[in-house]
């Protein structure tokens, strides 16, 4: 029997909205105001605080390909092909809002592998297209047997371009491998800070719902590359301090419906913080 | 395991049972996954052995490690101090090495771990609004609901309502503290040891510290040794345990 735990989410009539559909799907520069531009530039992974209806929280059985995909992503990090932050940028942001919300969770991880391997010139897009077609044919007549990878050869692991990080961090861990490289932290526990309202371009891990908010430093965390650098494989950049910042819920959300004492904490890189005046 | 009965498998809305030996139809995701793994191995990016070893590492992860961690912290004041001061060192002491299996940790979980200490007046709950950051070395793979935009959107703005949907009603004298694990720290909740557990052994205590308690969407209770049962969305070809 099909499990229909979230039947309320499929009630389309209650979700009907007045739609303003523009037939003209080319926009002239003078027709985009700042707010609309920001909406287009918002990184789709940044969903905190977006309105949504209650849904039944479900469990899910894991597909074999989902576990394989997860493991491939992690092994690519282990062997220095990418860092997990590059994976997050490609699979959670670069693919755009429609695909972000429309593809399954691990479908996006898979998309990120493909994109990374092509972008970093480990494979050509032609090779990928041919192989996908070949694998599909292998199973087309029901003669493929159990589904599994069957590499034609074991490649030469030397001569593959890899990052420094997967070797530099051995025995230390990450972020410990960046310790001592960012100088003195600018903030201490108890300091009042404001999250800067920097523009969003391509990637960040500073949530939109925190920008402009005042909070208090709860912990001086560690030194690390900023996500904006790490996500683009910029190992040459300077590490910086990170802080766990505590915010009052009532300062983050208008008409917060919980209690006045409720709080939220998030971990922010130094470039995003300034002293409260 | 090779013979399967479609009608009895619980997957009768699908064409295939979980362990069917002959595959008649592969999904787009399966095809793409195989193609990419084959190419990556052929190009020398990693070896099939790397993939197998990492799979083994993932398959032995389970929330039981987190449960034991909390039970130990409840019983042993010295361990509790260490756990709150340096949770990575405390993990190592109880057999979980965050540097495994690569020597620098798992690529996605990093090696910064922090315990969130609940008190009678502060309750923590974790989320990652940006993706699904979760302390896998301690808790294994995250539950599906934790990864959904729905949970991630709402818990940071309507935490009391969302917790109520999990059956957790908190009074007004309890501060709800939502931890958005948006960077390299991974978090786990250290709940308050409930009344009625006086004299219990570590094993007894660990049994009531379920995964949901460690995320912060439930509280440990004597007599409750598993998470609330939720509808299970079945897989077409689920991960097999052998």
């Amino acid at each position: 029997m099909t499990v229909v735990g979230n039947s309320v989410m499929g009630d389309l009539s209650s979700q009907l909205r007045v739609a303003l559909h523009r037939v003209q799907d080319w926009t002239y520069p003078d027709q985009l105001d700042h707010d609309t531009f920001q909406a287009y530039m918002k990184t789709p992974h940044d969903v905190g605080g977006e309105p949504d209806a209650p849904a039944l929280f479900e469990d899910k059985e894991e597909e074999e390909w989902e576990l394989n995909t997860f493991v491939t992503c992690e092994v690519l990090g282990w062997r220095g092909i990418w860092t997990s932050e590059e994976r997050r940028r490609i699979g959670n942001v670069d693919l755009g809002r429609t695909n972000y919300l429309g593809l399954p969770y691990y479908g996006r991880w898979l998309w990120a592998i493909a994109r990374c391997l092509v972008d970093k010139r480990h494979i050509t897009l032609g090779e990928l297209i041919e192989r996908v077609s070949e694998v599909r044919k292998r199973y087309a007549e029901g003669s493929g047997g159990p589904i599994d990878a069957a590499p034609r050869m074991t490649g030469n692991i030397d001569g593959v371009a890899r990052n420094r990080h997967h070797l530099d961090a051995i025995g230390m861990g990450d972020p410990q491998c960046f310790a001592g490289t960012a100088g003195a932290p600018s903030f201490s526990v108890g300091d009042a800070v404001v999250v800067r309202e920097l523009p969003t371009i391509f990637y960040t891990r500073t949530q939109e719902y925190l920008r402009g908010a005042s909070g208090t430093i709860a912990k001086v965390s560690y030194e690390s590359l900023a996500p904006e650098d790490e996500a683009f494989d910029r190992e040459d950049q300077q590490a910086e301090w990170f802080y766990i910042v505590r915010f009052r819920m009532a300062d983050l959300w208008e008409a917060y419906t919980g209690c006045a004492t409720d709080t939220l904490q998030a971990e922010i890189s130094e470039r995003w913080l300034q002293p409260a005046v | 395991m090779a013979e399967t009965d479609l009608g009895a498998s619980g997957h009768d809305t699908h064409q295939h049972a979980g362990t069917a030996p002959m595959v008649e139809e592969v999904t787009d995701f399966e095809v793409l996954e195989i193609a990419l793994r084959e190419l990556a191995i052929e190009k020398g990016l990693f070896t099939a052995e790397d993939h197998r070893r990492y799979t083994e590492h993932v398959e032995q992860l389970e929330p039981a490690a987190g449960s034991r961690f909390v039970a130990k912290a409840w019983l042993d004041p010295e361990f509790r101090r260490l756990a709150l001061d340096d949770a990575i060192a405390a993990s190592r002491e109880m057999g979980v090495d965050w540097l495994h299996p690569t020597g620098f940790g798992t690529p996605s979980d990093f090696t910064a771990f922090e315990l969130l200490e609940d008190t009678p007046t502060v309750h923590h709950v974790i989320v990652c609004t940006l993706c699904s950051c979760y302390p896998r070395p301690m808790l294994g793979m995250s539950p599906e609901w934790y990864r959904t935009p729905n949970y991630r959107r709402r818990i940071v703005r309507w935490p009391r309502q969302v917790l109520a949907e999990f059956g957790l009603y908190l009074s007004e004298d309890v501060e709800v503290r939502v931890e958005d694990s948006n960077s390299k720290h991974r978090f786990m909740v250290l709940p308050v040891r409930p009344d009625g557990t006086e004299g219990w052994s570590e094993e007894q205590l660990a049994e009531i510290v379920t995964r949901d308690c460690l995320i912060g969407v439930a509280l440990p209770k004597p007599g409750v040794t598993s998470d609330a049962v939720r509808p299970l969305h079945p897989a077409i070809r689920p991960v097999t345990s052998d």
Side-chain angles (χ1 to χ4, degrees):
Chain A
M1 216 185 80
T2 310
V3 178
V4 283
N6 277 325
S7 57
V8 65
M9 302 298 282
D11 176 6
L12 293 184
S13 58
S14 75
Q15 294 174 47
L16 274 179
R17 298 286 183 277
V18 177
L20 176 64
H21 231 62
R22 288 185 51 158
V23 175
Q24 181 188 320
D25 58 4
W26 61 95
T27 302
Y28 294 110
D30 58 296
Q31 292 170 335
L32 256 187
D33 62 17
H34 180 63
D35 286 347
T36 318
F37 178 77
Q38 276 191 308
Y40 280 114
M41 294 298 281
K42 185 176 177 183
T43 52
H45 66 161
D46 186 6
V47 303
E50 288 178 354
D52 202 347
L56 194 62
F57 296 117
E58 294 175 332
D59 287 323
K60 180 181 159 304
E61 202 176 17
E62 190 165 55
E63 303 277 359
E64 189 81 49
W65 71 264
E66 294 180 310
L67 176 61
N68 283 333
T69 296
F70 171 73
V71 170
T72 294
C73 286
E74 293 298 78
V75 172
L76 288 172
W78 179 14
R79 295 309 184 199
I81 304 301
W82 65 7
T83 62
S84 63
E85 210 50 39
E86 292 175 83
R87 169 182 61 72
R88 294 187 185 94
R89 186 255 303 169
I90 300 168
N92 301 339
V93 177
D94 286 0
L95 76 182
R97 179 172 291 272
T98 304
N99 287 7
Y100 179 72
L101 296 173
L103 289 173
Y105 176 77
Y106 280 117
R108 292 187 284 103
W109 289 60
L110 198 52
W111 196 93
I113 299 172
R115 190 81 215 195
C116 168
L117 265 48
V118 173
D119 278 352
K120 294 201 170 188
R121 306 168 69 96
H122 295 297
I123 61 175
T124 66
L125 183 54
E127 283 177 301
L128 178 59
I129 290 169
E130 287 297 337
R131 185 58 60 93
V132 166
S133 163
E134 192 267 312
V135 172
R136 179 167 291 291
K137 221 194 269 157
R138 216 187 287 170
Y139 295 102
E141 298 90 29
S143 56
I147 296 180
D148 203 4
R152 295 166 187 173
M153 54 181 279
T154 298
N156 179 12
I157 60 170
D158 305 320
V160 172
R162 303 178 196 273
N163 62 28
R164 283 199 328 255
H165 175 268
H166 82 293
L167 298 176
D168 288 355
I170 286 177
M172 286 184 278
D174 180 353
Q176 288 84 348
C177 58
F178 299 105
T181 63
S186 295
F187 304 105
S188 318
V189 171
D191 285 358
V193 291
V194 174
V195 180
R196 294 174 66 195
E197 299 198 63
L198 295 170
T200 307
I201 302 174
F202 301 150
Y203 195 70
T204 184
R205 293 192 74 82
T206 302
Q207 305 88 321
E208 187 181 72
Y209 77 86
L210 294 178
R211 293 184 211 145
S214 304
T216 309
I217 302 287
K219 184 185 174 82
V220 182
S221 287
Y222 49 71
E223 296 145 271
S224 169
L225 289 179
E228 290 84 353
D229 290 326
E230 208 161 45
F232 291 93
D233 195 17
R234 292 303 298 266
E235 296 187 290
D236 57 321
Q237 295 301 296
Q238 174 77 42
E240 61 193 82
W241 281 97
F242 281 65
Y243 306 86
I244 295 179
V245 184
R246 185 175 304 164
F247 302 90
R248 290 174 63 248
M249 282 287 194
D251 290 337
L252 297 179
W253 311 109
E254 259 179 58
Y256 176 68
T257 54
C259 298
T261 52
D262 290 351
T263 52
L264 178 140
Q265 299 189 149
E267 194 161 50
I268 313 284
S269 61
E270 191 165 289
R271 67 176 63 180
W272 278 93
L273 298 175
Q274 61 191 37
V277 283
Chain B
M1 286 294 279
E3 293 298 315
T4 49
D5 175 354
L6 285 175
S9 69
H11 300 282
D12 53 2
T13 55
H14 300 284
Q15 290 300 307
H16 317 283
T19 52
M22 200 55 87
V23 170
E24 294 126 27
E25 194 186 313
V26 288
T27 68
D28 292 304
F29 299 113
E30 286 169 322
V31 169
L32 188 53
E33 189 279 316
I34 289 172
L36 287 166
R37 185 150 47 103
E38 288 179 355
L39 288 170
I41 291 168
E42 290 168 17
K43 298 288 179 183
L45 306 188
F46 57 80
T47 65
E49 174 64 8
D50 289 342
H51 201 275
R52 192 192 60 73
R53 272 177 61 196
Y54 205 98
T55 302
E56 269 179 23
H57 169 76
V58 173
E59 286 182 332
Q60 51 88 37
L61 300 174
E62 49 172 7
S67 309
R68 282 193 294 123
F69 190 102
V70 164
K72 196 168 161 62
W74 280 346
L75 287 173
D76 179 349
E78 211 166 297
F79 181 79
R80 184 189 185 95
R81 259 194 303 278
L82 178 66
L84 291 170
D85 187 47
D86 185 350
I88 294 281
S91 304
R92 202 160 47 235
E93 196 167 291
M94 51 154 301
V96 175
D97 188 344
W98 281 71
L99 290 178
H100 279 175
T102 69
F104 63 89
T106 73
S108 289
D109 304 304
F110 305 104
T111 54
F113 180 43
E114 177 104 348
L115 210 54
L116 303 170
E117 184 183 29
D118 279 358
T119 71
T121 56
V122 178
H123 175 81
H124 292 88
V125 58
I126 60 171
V127 63
C128 168
T129 55
L130 299 178
C131 37
S132 54
C133 296
Y134 188 77
R136 289 190 193 86
M138 265 296 150
L139 298 185
M141 304 297 263
S142 56
E144 176 72 10
W145 55 260
Y146 181 87
R147 307 164 177 172
T148 61
N150 189 284
Y151 177 76
R152 293 158 47 212
R153 284 177 180 133
R154 296 169 64 232
I155 190 75
V156 293
R157 188 166 185 173
W158 300 280
R160 287 174 186 269
Q161 182 182 342
V162 174
L163 290 176
E165 290 163 24
F166 281 94
L168 179 56
Y169 299 87
L170 296 169
S171 65
E172 287 181 19
D173 55 352
V174 176
E175 166 191 340
V176 175
R177 184 173 297 165
V178 178
E179 187 74 49
D180 189 346
S181 53
N182 64 319
S183 293
K184 288 187 176 177
H185 257 115
R186 297 293 173 265
F187 301 91
M188 187 175 85
V189 177
L190 172 59
V192 176
R193 181 174 169 176
D195 293 337
T197 59
E198 296 75 15
W200 282 25
S201 70
E202 191 177 308
E203 289 69 33
Q204 281 176 296
L205 288 170
E207 277 193 3
I208 63 167
V209 185
T210 66
R211 182 203 64 204
D212 284 1
C213 298
L214 298 165
I215 297 173
V217 296
L219 291 175
K221 269 196 203 80
V224 179
T225 56
S226 57
D227 289 322
V229 176
R230 308 189 169 283
L232 179 72
H233 188 91
I236 298 172
R237 267 181 284 281
V239 173
T240 48
S241 52
D242 44 60

